[in-house]
Amino acid sequence: MVVTSTRESEAEETLPSYDRKSELMAFDDSKSGVQGLVEKGVEKVPRMFYCEHSNDLSWGLISASNSKISIPIIDLTGIHDDPNMRDGVVGKVRYACEKWGFFQVVNHGIPTQVLDEMIKGTRMFHQQDAELRKEYYTRDFSRKVAYLSNYTLYEDPYADWRDTIAFSLAPDHPKAQEFPAVCRDIVVEYSKKVMVLAYALFELLSEALGLDHFHLKEKGCAEGLLLLCNYYPPCPEPALTMGNKEHSDGDIMTILLQDQMGGLQVLHDSQWICVPPMHGALVVNIGDLLQLMSNDKFISVQHRVLANHQGPRISVASFFRTPISKVFGPIKELVYEDHPPVYREISLKDYMAHRYASGSGTSALLHFKL
């Protein structure tokens, strides 16, 4: 059942000539994002953000306080020097990727101080003067540093209550002067450390698939890194919109750093499960492209972020991808007579073109099924 807010129903009755495109363009032209609305003291959520359903807790939600279900937590201690402990971790990774598509990692090698500084750097960028933020605002996705609100703003049915500063860090690194000074040093430091962790995780994922531990790295899975530093301002009417609508990730693997605000939920067995923040931990999830490469052995699942009266919420998502033009398909070692290829071969360029055209709330994988 679709739940429609009273405000939205009233708006439909009183604003029959509503011009959504003009509202989107005015918001985009402001170049100050959702944070700009908050800075101006907005007390009502603009109509362009209205979601088709309410965020009321009765809407398919299991809260962290009353749920005994949670995504797996995997301790990476010993993976580099103890074969028995490594084998145990590989088994846990396999289970998490096959059944959940999500897991949290602890003892991953990145100091907590670095994680905290990355959160702080993200906050400092988004909370600096709007005129300074505007220098980086763009919808030119070829730029290596881009500040914007909602990648698919004009394609989606509604906008999310979220702003992003994005850094395309690999394979070609931005020049030093392209980074905002307020967060330059920590972005560079964090990205180096998260890349080392990604190499270790791709080895574990390869082994969990029954492949040589270098297989996914040799496929180029860690060659591309996009860092999305997300900022979710406090929302005056969180029941009317979302922080990040239901979606799956358009990459191979995501490593997510989140602050202690909460709000991330994963769809598991037709129920929304909260992913409680754990200070010092990182969230790992399988992207659409690894589901394709694993021939559906690993799953890329829907997840979302709720809007909140309180805030801001801050997260930093590291998206690992192949080079844009590299063609890939189901890994041949994972294709058998009784398990033929599920998907056709594609490139990241093909995938992203379809994803942007269809909006962020739908699964792009279905389009590439054989």
Side-chain angles (χ1 to χ4, degrees):
M1 181 180 71
V2 175
V3 181
T4 305
S5 70
T6 303
R7 283 265 322 273
E8 187 171 357
S9 299
E10 291 174 351
E12 290 173 351
E13 294 174 3
T14 60
L15 296 174
S17 60
Y18 171 64
D19 186 346
R20 176 176 173 77
K21 185 175 180 180
S22 293
E23 185 179 17
L24 291 173
M25 292 179 67
F27 170 77
D28 208 19
D29 289 344
S30 75
K31 298 184 177 182
S32 55
V34 177
Q35 175 67 358
L37 299 176
V38 173
E39 289 168 342
K40 292 178 181 178
V42 66
E43 295 181 354
K44 299 288 184 181
V45 169
R47 190 174 175 185
M48 59 176 275
F49 294 95
Y50 284 9
C51 179
E52 66 216 22
H53 55 255
S54 169
N55 279 351
D56 188 86
L57 290 179
S58 64
W59 189 78
L61 168 65
I62 293 182
S63 70
S65 59
N66 64 17
S67 174
K68 295 180 181 179
I69 308 172
S70 63
I71 70 170
I73 299 171
I74 302 176
D75 189 337
L76 299 186
T77 299
I79 61 170
H80 299 298
D81 49 33
D82 188 321
N84 290 329
M85 294 183 76
R86 184 180 181 91
D87 287 346
V89 170
V90 168
K92 292 176 181 178
V93 167
R94 181 183 302 112
Y95 168 81
C97 295
E98 290 179 354
K99 303 301 183 184
W100 282 87
F102 263 79
F103 55 96
Q104 295 206 64
V105 291
V106 296
N107 294 314
H108 44 65
I110 303 180
T112 301
Q113 180 182 356
V114 174
L115 304 181
D116 292 344
E117 285 297 314
M118 188 64 245
I119 293 291
K120 179 181 177 182
T122 300
R123 179 185 297 109
M124 290 175 67
F125 174 83
H126 288 281
Q127 291 184 351
Q128 66 183 333
D129 188 270
E131 293 304 313
L132 296 175
R133 301 198 305 271
K134 287 180 183 180
E135 295 177 23
Y136 299 92
Y137 197 93
T138 183
R139 292 204 174 271
D140 178 0
F141 300 144
S142 67
R143 286 187 36 184
K144 295 189 183 304
V145 179
Y147 168 55
L148 73 163
S149 186
N150 290 260
Y151 268 87
T152 47
L153 179 68
Y154 296 96
E155 292 78 20
D156 289 339
Y158 62 91
D160 291 331
W161 199 259
R162 180 189 75 258
D163 300 327
T164 302
I165 174 77
F167 301 92
S168 181
L169 299 171
D172 301 312
H173 201 271
K175 298 176 181 177
Q177 61 268 27
E178 295 181 77
F179 288 91
V182 72
C183 59
R184 178 192 300 124
D185 292 346
I186 188 57
V187 168
V188 171
E189 181 181 7
Y190 178 76
S191 64
K192 289 178 180 177
K193 294 185 182 304
V194 83
M195 184 67 83
V196 172
L197 174 60
Y199 287 150
L201 288 170
F202 276 126
E203 289 185 7
L204 295 172
L205 290 168
S206 296
E207 292 176 43
L209 287 168
L211 306 168
D212 176 82
H213 65 285
F214 288 128
H215 193 101
L216 291 177
K217 286 198 292 185
E218 291 174 348
K219 286 281 188 183
C221 292
E223 290 184 20
L225 171 58
L226 178 67
L227 197 72
L228 302 182
C229 302
N230 299 311
Y231 186 89
Y232 302 80
C235 181
E237 298 176 297
L240 295 182
T241 189
M242 296 291 292
N244 199 344
K245 63 178 61 65
E246 179 180 345
H247 69 285
S248 57
D249 285 353
D251 63 353
I252 296 173
M253 175 183 70
T254 305
I255 300 176
L256 179 76
L257 165 64
Q258 60 173 340
D259 67 6
Q260 301 304 296
M261 184 59 62
L264 173 64
Q265 298 179 333
V266 173
L267 191 61
H268 180 72
D269 288 342
S270 302
Q271 296 176 312
W272 287 108
I273 308 299
C274 292
V275 180
M278 292 177 56
H279 189 224
L282 292 165
V283 179
V284 180
N285 66 280
I286 302 304
D288 283 0
L289 304 185
L290 187 51
Q291 177 169 332
L292 183 151
M293 294 173 71
S294 72
N295 209 34
D296 279 351
K297 185 173 178 63
F298 289 172
I299 58 173
S300 172
V301 302
Q302 298 288 300
H303 51 287
R304 67 182 189 178
V305 177
L306 301 182
N308 197 327
H309 269 300
Q310 298 178 318
R313 176 187 187 267
I314 294 170
S315 70
V316 179
S318 300
F319 278 51
F320 291 91
R321 296 172 169 174
T322 60
I324 191 75
S325 59
K326 186 179 181 72
V327 176
F328 56 90
I331 296 169
K332 61 182 178 62
E333 290 87 347
L334 303 178
V335 176
Y336 318 103
E337 185 176 348
D338 59 348
H339 189 47
V342 179
Y343 305 95
R344 61 182 172 89
E345 289 191 336
I346 63 169
S347 67
L348 178 60
K349 184 178 181 180
D350 298 331
Y351 173 89
M352 295 310 298
H354 177 73
R355 186 180 177 96
Y356 282 129
S358 58
S360 65
T362 57
S363 173
L365 271 183
L366 296 176
H367 179 73
F368 300 103
K369 279 197 168 187
L370 291 171

